[in-house]
Amino acid sequence: MGAFILKRLFQAFIAVFGVLTFVFFLQRLTGDPVALLAPVNTTAEDLERIRHSLGLDRPLIVQYLDFLWGVVRLDLGRSLAQSIPVSDLIWSRLPYTLWLAVSSLVFALVLGVPLGVIMAVWRRHKLMAIPSTIVLAGQSLPTFWSGIMFILIFAVGLGWLPSSGARTPNSVILPMVALGLFSMATFARVMRTAMIDELSKDYIRTARAKGVPKNAMIARHLMRNSLIPLITMLALELANLLAGAAVVETVFAWPGLGQLAVQSIGARDFPVVQGVVLLGAVTAISLNFLADVLYGAVDPRIRVGRGG
Amino acid sequence: MIANPVIPRGRWLRAALLSSVIAFAGLSGHAALAKETIVIDLVDEPQSLDPHLHANNSALYTYGNMFDNLLTRDNAGKIIPNIATKWSQLSDTEIEFTIRDDVTFHDGSPLTAEDVAFSIQRIIDPAYGSDWISTFAAIAGAEATGPNTVKVTTKTVYPLTLGMMTKLPVVPKAVVEKVGDEAFNLSPVGSGPYKFVAWNRGVSVDMAAYDGYWGEKPEFPKAEFRIVPDAATRVADLQTGAADLIVTLTPDLAVQIQAEPGLKVETVATERMAYLKLNLEAKPFDDIRVREAIASAIDREGLVQGLLLGIGGVESEQLIAPSSFGSDPNPPAFPAYDPDHARELVKEVSPDGPIPMTLVNRPPYSQSVAEAVQQMLIDVGFDATLEVKEGGTWYQQVTGDPAQHPDGYFINMSCSCGDADGLFTLVFGKGANFAKATGATDETEALLVKGRTTLDEGERMEAYEAMADWVAETLPIIPMYQVSQIYAMNEKLSFTPTPNETMFINRMAWSE
Amino acid sequence: MALTDAESAPRFARLRWIWAPGNRKLVFLLILFALFILAAVFAPLIAPEDPFRQNLLGRLKPPGTTARGTFFLLGSDELGRDVLSRVLYGARISLAVAFSSVIASALIGVSVGMFAAYRGGIAEAVLMRLTDIILSVPGILIALIVVAALGPGMINVILVLTITRWPRYARVAYAQTLQLSSQPFVRLSKHMGSSTVYILTRHVLPNIIGPLAVVATLEFGLMILWEASLSFLGLGVQPPTPSLGNMLSGGRVYAASAWWIATIPGLVLFALIAVVNVMGDELRDRLDPKGR
């Protein structure tokens, strides 16, 4: 186990380093942030002066090493567009992103698991077209489209919920549903497959033959065993939700990291993009690691380190 | 109030039908009491609240209400006193401003001539790194010559100093020096009608009316500028009553809002000019006949009436907006829309077939206008291709080596300075970033220099009329329309937008 | 396996296979999908109008109206272009993006995965670690940065989707090949001196194609969604070239006033992805009953 963790740590280090390097140089391939951010009447000399004061006129390799040294010291630099430390910007946005991602995950679970169970247990029932359609919609609709539809129906039409922002606690509901639908569909499908798998196993047949009531059986055995693949997915799905929030956050003016990333990418605010990517990569890798550990913990038969 | 607009319960089923969704927005009512908070939806985050630091529109709207400029413009664009009540030209390069003595900052300290001089020195200090530095490039320095007088010195004879001072926010010297630039940006102290309350990153900037304000006090005790990137969402905010005023809409959305009870749209033709810039160093666009063909191919009226619905812009054959000084009252003749004539010219230059032409557009310049112009050019015999470039790549291409330029690119340009010098210099001035492959000559440069170093208005006017003649003859750019800024708001709000795109809440009113 | 049996059987038996109760659903889905493909491929022949042709006086006409001599079966958009024609061409672009990126990433991923599993050693360690690394990085974020740097457009979108998605296939191919490599027939072939390429393409690939097809089908729908998301953020296929994603995204501001502009491409997009996803589920049930 110790060797495994060491190996994973090394791998994580390489991954973060690789991604940061990639992003650092890629961003600098095209586009000049200073010219984009300054007013149109800024003269060439003044642009040059601003570049100098931001250190953007130094050789690329010097900027790169400086950036890496900053990362080591946990100093992400300053935003070019907003002139405040990147870490301040990220800290101000992080709680919103976490809040949205976690509530979306909970939403997806609360809706997805029962849907999956229903779809597996009564899979021959005529009414199964309904949950199937819900799951299919979750999988097939672009989030920005469902998001705007939700705003039109629940905020503009019915006036039940706020149309955007994050000022009241109920503001999270619409973006949560819009973001969580896809994960909900994923969970329902996984749950359905796992349940069907379990249902065909010998012990279930035996129990049924013995006359154990169906509902009790579902609650006691089936659910527990079927949840295993789901639990192993949780951490990965959370990583997807964290990373996938950019579109939903833009639609709902939700002040999270995704929106910050989209704006910063557009404005070529290099340090902010690098900061968000660093945080995103570290989070995703940690969650991946967590997924592996969970995988091993819930199902001891599986060797640590996902072989496939 | 925000979360629960009043909607009769039994009707929710009907409301769920998408087509009828909009009809219900009008039912959401506001409290009958005087309006407590005005909520304004902006597109993006203010880059800074320190008014000397950054200059994006959101920042201008926001800090514009917390700080007073030395001078200001009325809604028609005329320069009027603000912090300075009088000014006099001491010499060709010196102006003395007399300051009000009843102005206090939000911390209670009086605003003095020292603060004004400090503000000017701060904005022109290269070490401070203001976005405004090029705007104030002509200023050599400023000093307090008495308790209520400030002397501003320009580097050369400079006719635009007063216009520039309408963009000079006055900051409290003592506070800035005490807390430092960084902290001042996060918690600004001004002398404007509103004082700073909170900056919720990515969400909003909150303000409260300043009781000690010297000028006209605003009607709303509180103001909130919110950040809402998506236009469809801003409209939803307005419809639900979550916002009272929203900015930056497409003409189509404006029409949609106009049709709704309880909401209205206000537009203003700004100084921002939308034009097609041609590359005069690329063949065959160095041929005046080709440029004339392009000018004759573009149906300005069709663009403005058909595409911008008569809301998004005002047709223009000139670069300089009528509201600016130096706009030619008797504009020179410009090729009229005449596709047959354009076709003939193209045939004449290229008898063997269409003329290939590369066009480039960048968001947020109107993509539908770019596509429509492309189609108009194709119709008269250009093989026009349109490429969309993202900001940074676009900037590099159109400001770099003209050999890499597209044959034509779309741009909206403004100086928001109310003077012909601004746009002419940006578009044709020697060394200006966007003035590449324009066909500008030493003569045109001499006209521009004359225009910006002469105090006599008649002589300046002559220079700009000569520039306008040159543009109409040479056709280095094809002006299309003056871009209108579109604001949508609650019907109860009265707000007069201005050509230089300001938004002062104390000039707004609310009527129940 | 059912397919091969059917092919060698007399004609009526093949027909019976198609109409067998268990197969009806899949056949139906395949036909639907084929219709999408046909409509897209033959868009230039089917489309009643030029999808780029503007008609500024015929803007925002609802479905079934005639304006200036043009009949708009599914209405016209904000530039007076025929929505039906644009949807046909848009589906063509969206399908092209999805097909290209799925094929390219499958090619790369499968080669990498099979090679790594079969060769083992350093190649395995390096390739599979690389796969893990790319899999562990938030894909959409990287996609945004890459497209912003390279500039938006169809080719770059395909490129980005390929770069970020090939590890999915590599993982599956790797795991499956690993299982197969120890099988007697593979070892025998190796023993007899067959080349690596021969073994991988002749023995391994045909036996792992099932699970890979399942992954590819599910990825296909996802790619169409990603293109739409990139379009929403202004980084997808660029107008005036229509894609289902950018039509949906561009039309969303008209959702309340001219619903057909976004709703119609939205429905087509939904139907397309739904068909592909259900097809993927069916395939999975047949080819890969155990795995996810």
Side-chain angles (χ1 to χ4, degrees):
Chain A
M1 193 68 187
F4 167 71
I5 291 178
L6 262 183
K7 196 175 129 197
R8 288 303 299 251
L9 269 179
F10 177 71
Q11 201 174 312
F13 173 76
I14 297 284
V16 172
F17 176 79
V19 171
L20 284 181
T21 306
F22 179 69
V23 167
F24 182 92
F25 288 103
L26 187 75
Q27 286 192 98
R28 282 158 177 80
L29 268 182
T30 56
D32 176 4
V34 173
L36 268 186
L37 290 169
V40 282
N41 65 354
T42 310
T43 60
E45 300 85 71
D46 283 331
L47 285 178
E48 201 43 55
R49 187 159 38 221
I50 298 173
R51 265 183 217 113
H52 180 75
S53 70
L54 296 169
L56 291 169
D57 58 344
R58 295 172 298 166
L60 213 51
I61 191 72
V62 175
Q63 292 184 49
Y64 175 62
L65 292 175
D66 187 48
F67 162 64
L68 286 185
W69 177 231
V71 172
V72 171
R73 290 174 295 140
L74 293 179
D75 172 9
L76 298 173
R78 296 169 70 84
S79 158
L80 303 177
Q82 304 203 33
S83 308
I84 65 166
V86 172
S87 46
D88 289 1
L89 266 182
I90 289 183
W91 280 122
S92 69
R93 304 285 192 125
L94 185 62
Y96 290 103
T97 291
L98 281 179
W99 185 16
L100 178 59
V102 171
S103 38
S104 297
L105 188 74
V106 171
F107 164 80
L109 276 176
V110 166
L111 208 68
V113 170
L115 264 180
V117 171
I118 291 169
M119 284 164 70
V121 175
W122 290 280
R123 85 189 109 138
R124 311 246 180 262
H125 198 282
K126 281 200 182 92
L127 284 180
M128 276 313 99
I130 298 169
S132 303
T133 313
I134 296 176
V135 169
L136 206 56
Q139 256 190 314
S140 314
L141 285 174
T143 47
F144 68 85
W145 179 244
S146 35
I148 287 159
M149 286 299 122
F150 290 159
I151 293 178
L152 282 176
I153 296 170
F154 296 104
V156 179
L158 302 170
W160 289 349
L161 292 163
S163 43
S164 75
R167 284 185 302 181
T168 49
N170 59 356
S171 299
V172 77
I173 295 175
L174 290 182
M176 168 190 86
V177 176
L179 180 62
L181 271 181
F182 191 86
S183 303
M184 180 275 290
T186 312
F187 287 149
R189 288 157 54 99
V190 170
M191 200 62 200
R192 175 181 174 270
T193 314
M195 284 288 278
I196 291 175
D197 218 32
E198 282 306 305
L199 277 169
S200 64
K201 284 191 176 153
D202 288 346
Y203 75 97
I204 297 290
R205 291 194 194 149
T206 318
R208 285 189 92 158
K210 280 185 178 168
V212 177
K214 196 175 181 183
N215 289 345
M217 208 166 60
I218 292 171
R220 198 165 310 154
H221 303 289
L222 275 174
M223 283 291 279
R224 214 179 52 204
N225 290 335
S226 311
L227 277 174
I228 289 174
L230 201 73
I231 289 168
T232 62
M233 280 183 66
L234 279 185
L236 292 178
E237 206 52 43
L238 184 61
N240 284 342
L241 287 172
L242 286 168
V247 169
V248 171
E249 288 181 358
T250 304
V251 172
F252 290 94
W254 184 262
L257 285 170
Q259 202 203 105
L260 180 70
V262 169
Q263 283 164 4
S264 306
I265 289 169
R268 308 207 171 247
D269 197 339
F270 298 158
V272 180
V273 176
Q274 284 153 196
V276 175
V277 168
L278 175 68
L279 184 72
V282 169
T283 314
I285 288 169
S286 317
L287 287 170
N288 266 283
F289 178 69
L290 188 68
D292 283 353
V293 173
L294 277 176
Y295 204 46
V298 291
D299 195 346
R301 287 168 298 175
I302 299 152
R303 70 185 167 88
V304 180
R306 286 164 301 148
Chain B
M1 176 200 82
I2 287 146
N4 301 304
V6 188
I7 288 185
R9 270 197 176 191
R11 301 202 189 169
W12 69 271
L13 257 180
R14 259 179 63 203
L17 295 168
L18 191 63
S19 52
S20 64
V21 150
I22 298 312
F24 287 83
L27 294 171
S28 60
H30 286 271
L33 301 165
K35 181 93 172 144
E36 171 79 7
T37 309
I38 179 165
V39 180
I40 301 170
D41 273 10
L42 305 176
V43 181
D44 51 7
E45 180 118 54
Q47 278 180 270
S48 71
L49 293 186
D50 177 343
H52 291 169
L53 192 54
H54 287 302
N56 71 333
N57 264 354
S58 297
L60 285 167
Y61 291 149
T62 317
Y63 58 59
N65 285 290
M66 295 192 286
F67 290 86
D68 282 317
N69 294 323
L70 187 59
L71 300 175
T72 191
R73 288 179 191 269
D74 63 14
N75 287 346
K78 191 169 158 272
I79 297 174
I80 54 172
N82 205 37
I83 296 291
T85 50
K86 286 188 303 189
W87 50 90
S88 57
Q89 198 87 36
L90 298 180
S91 73
D92 274 357
T93 56
E94 290 169 315
I95 303 184
E96 187 177 72
F97 292 91
T98 306
I99 310 296
R100 300 184 71 97
D101 57 6
D102 58 347
V103 181
T104 55
F105 286 110
H106 301 151
D107 65 350
S109 61
L111 184 152
T112 66
E114 280 294 336
D115 294 311
V116 175
F118 171 78
S119 297
I120 294 174
Q121 292 294 357
R122 186 173 184 242
I123 222 167
I124 64 174
D125 178 10
Y128 171 71
S130 170
D131 272 358
W132 295 106
I133 194 156
S134 292
T135 306
F136 285 83
I139 305 287
E143 58 177 317
T145 47
N148 291 320
T149 50
V150 182
K151 185 178 79 184
V152 175
T153 313
T154 54
K155 289 173 185 162
T156 56
V157 180
Y158 192 63
L160 298 157
T161 312
L162 292 183
M164 200 192 288
M165 290 305 151
T166 65
K167 295 183 169 192
L168 178 81
V170 181
V171 301
K173 182 183 182 194
V175 177
V176 173
E177 285 181 342
K178 187 173 147 226
V179 303
D181 292 337
E182 186 114 331
F184 186 72
N185 179 31
L186 298 178
S187 181
V189 176
S191 63
Y194 281 94
K195 59 185 179 192
F196 174 78
V197 173
W199 185 357
N200 312 305
R201 291 266 164 193
V203 187
S204 65
V205 175
D206 303 345
M207 308 176 191
Y210 173 47
D211 295 333
Y213 187 56
W214 62 272
E216 192 173 343
K217 293 193 177 70
E219 281 195 21
F220 314 98
K222 288 178 184 167
E224 193 178 320
F225 287 88
R226 305 208 311 158
I227 297 133
V228 184
D230 197 52
T233 314
R234 287 197 295 281
V235 171
D237 279 358
L238 185 66
Q239 289 167 332
T240 57
D244 303 304
L245 169 62
I246 62 178
V247 302
T248 316
L249 296 173
T250 61
D252 288 293
L253 282 173
V255 169
Q256 192 179 315
I257 289 170
Q258 273 173 338
E260 288 188 37
L263 304 179
K264 65 176 177 183
V265 168
E266 296 276 1
T267 66
V268 63
T270 64
E271 294 169 28
R272 201 169 291 279
M273 201 59 72
Y275 59 88
L276 173 64
K277 158 83 177 67
L278 300 173
N279 183 355
L280 270 67
E281 288 175 25
K283 294 220 175 293
F285 302 91
D286 54 348
D287 186 334
I288 179 68
R289 289 174 300 171
V290 175
R291 300 200 298 274
E292 194 184 327
I294 296 170
S296 317
I298 297 178
D299 176 8
R300 275 174 217 78
E301 193 186 342
L303 289 178
V304 169
Q305 297 305 325
L307 212 51
L308 305 177
L309 312 177
I311 294 175
V314 174
E315 293 166 56
S316 176
E317 297 179 343
Q318 288 209 82
L319 182 64
I320 305 304
S323 61
S324 294
F325 175 86
S327 153
D328 196 339
N330 305 303
F334 192 86
Y337 171 56
D338 186 350
D340 294 327
H341 179 56
R343 248 171 244 127
E344 281 164 25
L345 286 169
V346 170
K347 271 257 163 59
E348 202 178 303
V349 176
S350 167
D352 308 327
I355 299 176
M357 182 176 191
T358 54
L359 293 170
V360 165
N361 189 36
R362 79 167 267 211
Y365 307 141
S366 171
Q367 179 64 15
S368 42
V369 165
E371 289 175 33
V373 170
Q374 178 198 13
Q375 193 59 47
M376 290 168 183
L377 290 173
I378 290 174
D379 286 345
V380 301
F382 287 91
D383 181 12
T385 55
L386 173 63
E387 206 183 337
V388 182
K389 293 238 159 131
E390 201 267 339
T393 333
W394 175 86
Y395 184 92
Q396 257 184 355
Q397 190 185 9
V398 305
T399 61
D401 177 10
Q404 308 298 322
H405 283 209
D407 298 328
Y409 66 85
F410 299 92
I411 183 169
N412 300 351
M413 186 85 97
S414 173
C415 64
S416 300
C417 61
D419 196 287
D421 171 61
L423 269 191
F424 273 139
T425 305
L426 281 173
V427 182
F428 301 114
K430 202 173 170 189
N433 295 320
F434 287 93
K436 302 279 158 62
T438 59
T441 60
D442 290 347
E443 285 86 66
T444 60
E445 185 61 21
L447 289 174
L448 293 180
V449 171
K450 186 178 167 203
R452 87 171 80 94
T453 54
T454 308
L455 292 178
D456 182 83
E457 292 198 346
E459 280 180 47
R460 297 191 66 216
M461 199 64 208
E462 270 173 38
Y464 292 132
E465 282 174 10
M467 269 309 285
D469 290 343
W470 174 78
V471 173
E473 280 158 25
T474 319
L475 302 173
I477 61 162
I478 315 294
M480 297 188 295
Y481 56 92
Q482 248 180 297
V483 179
S484 292
Q485 181 68 266
I486 304 175
Y487 305 85
M489 63 205 82
N490 194 300
E491 210 170 43
K492 295 173 186 139
L493 184 72
S494 69
F495 163 57
T496 312
T498 61
N500 59 343
E501 302 173 47
T502 55
M503 186 188 277
F504 296 114
I505 300 175
N506 63 340
R507 296 186 190 177
M508 299 178 190
W510 188 267
S511 59
E512 280 303 328
Chain C
M1 284 303 116
L3 250 171
T4 24
D5 288 348
E7 271 160 13
S8 59
R11 179 164 296 176
F12 67 89
R14 206 183 302 169
L15 279 174
R16 204 180 325 150
W17 176 83
I18 291 176
W19 206 236
N23 292 334
R24 271 181 219 166
K25 193 173 171 191
L26 184 61
V27 170
F28 179 64
L29 288 165
L30 282 170
I31 291 172
L32 274 182
F33 188 59
L35 283 179
F36 272 111
I37 307 265
L38 286 176
V41 168
F42 293 107
L45 298 177
I46 307 169
E49 301 292 326
D50 176 350
F52 298 98
R53 172 97 207 142
Q54 301 170 2
N55 178 351
L56 294 186
L57 294 177
R59 305 168 70 250
L60 307 175
K61 294 286 176 244
T65 44
T66 305
R68 291 231 294 188
T70 310
F71 176 64
F72 296 114
L73 182 63
L74 296 179
S76 69
D77 72 358
E78 71 275 17
L79 289 173
R81 296 172 297 200
D82 181 36
V83 170
L84 171 61
S85 306
R86 285 184 72 76
V87 164
L88 286 167
Y89 274 83
R92 190 177 156 101
I93 299 287
S94 291
L95 282 169
V97 167
F99 264 117
S100 319
S101 52
V102 163
I103 290 172
S105 33
L107 276 179
I108 298 175
V110 172
S111 317
V112 166
M114 289 201 310
F115 184 74
Y118 184 77
R119 181 52 67 86
I122 292 184
E124 178 185 20
V126 171
L127 288 174
M128 292 325 287
R129 288 301 78 76
L130 184 67
T131 307
D132 283 348
I133 284 171
I134 297 181
L135 272 181
S136 65
V137 169
I140 192 89
L141 194 57
I142 301 298
L144 283 179
I145 296 168
V146 175
V147 179
L150 300 181
M154 186 169 153
I155 301 295
N156 288 342
V157 169
I158 294 172
L159 193 72
V160 162
L161 296 181
T162 307
I163 294 173
T164 41
R165 301 311 286 184
W166 68 263
R168 302 265 149 199
Y169 304 89
R171 272 241 146 263
V172 177
Y174 173 78
Q176 300 282 334
T177 310
L178 215 53
Q179 277 180 1
L180 269 178
S181 300
S182 54
Q183 298 278 324
F185 71 98
V186 176
R187 277 191 297 183
L188 184 69
S189 183
K190 195 176 184 178
H191 194 67
M192 285 165 67
S194 308
S195 74
T196 305
V197 175
Y198 181 87
I199 297 175
L200 288 182
T201 52
R202 286 301 169 87
H203 295 310
V204 178
L205 193 56
N207 285 296
I208 66 171
I209 203 89
L212 284 172
V214 174
V215 175
T217 324
L218 296 176
E219 283 286 305
F220 191 90
L222 205 58
M223 292 305 94
I224 296 177
L225 276 184
W226 275 39
E227 193 279 321
S229 293
L230 286 172
S231 283
F232 169 75
L233 298 171
L235 296 169
V237 174
Q238 291 298 306
T241 307
S243 77
L244 293 177
N246 68 25
M247 290 180 74
L248 190 51
S249 163
R252 72 185 192 280
V253 296
Y254 305 95
S257 58
W259 56 269
W260 56 93
I261 300 181
T263 307
I264 289 167
L267 285 176
V268 174
L269 184 104
F270 172 68
L272 179 58
I273 300 177
V275 164
V276 170
N277 281 337
V278 176
M279 214 160 69
D281 284 349
E282 282 291 308
L283 278 178
R284 166 181 299 160
D285 288 349
R286 271 145 214 281
L287 301 169
D288 186 23
K290 281 236 176 98
R292 286 195 295 106

